Amino acid sequence: MKNHVKPGKMITCVAGSGGVTSGSLIQLGSLFGVAATSAAEGDEFELATGDVWELPKTSAQAWNFGAKIYRDAATGLCTNTDNSGANTLIGVAVEAAGNPSGKGIVRLNSSF
């Protein structure tokens, strides 16, 4: 395939205001993933898309296996609430998570 550029599991991006920290859930427009590297504002970093990640969640929620998971627009945490469409769907829970708990296991869908 002459038109294939590269596999899409890692995307090179430019860090926005405040930079990025390795392991953080990052949303850039409709693309989201986990920062594989840290970078200062304006520097390039690698964004890992897809796969399964342990991510910070809204503590006061219980998640069921297979629940839709969103990125909360206000807090940046993962949530099982779409907030009338204000939050971005990012994937599904692949393990149940209790209330309270600060982390959940999410299979990212990388972009919608």
Side-chain angles (χ1 to χ4, degrees), residues 17-30:
S17 178
V20 298
T21 303
S22 179
S24 298
L25 179 64
I26 305 293
Q27 182 174 352
L28 300 167
S30 294

Side-chain angles (χ1 to χ4, degrees), residues 60-100:
Q61 292 180 339
W63 293 358
N64 295 320
F65 179 91
K68 290 180 179 178
I69 302 300
Y70 303 82
R71 180 180 178 275
D72 187 302
T75 66
L77 297 173
C78 295
T79 178
N80 61 4
T81 307
D82 77 350
N83 193 20
S84 300
N87 295 335
T88 302
L89 180 63
I90 62 169
V92 296
V94 292
E95 286 186 12
N99 171 5

Side-chain angles (χ1 to χ4, degrees), residues 20-62:
V20 298
T21 303
S22 179
S24 298
L25 179 64
I26 305 293
Q27 182 174 352
L28 300 167
S30 294
L31 179 68
F32 47 86
V34 175
T37 55
S38 295
E41 181 178 337
D43 290 345
E44 290 185 344
F45 70 99
E46 296 298 313
L47 185 69
T49 62
D51 292 333
V52 177
W53 301 90
E54 180 182 67
L55 297 171
K57 69 179 259 309
T58 301
S59 180
Q61 292 180 339

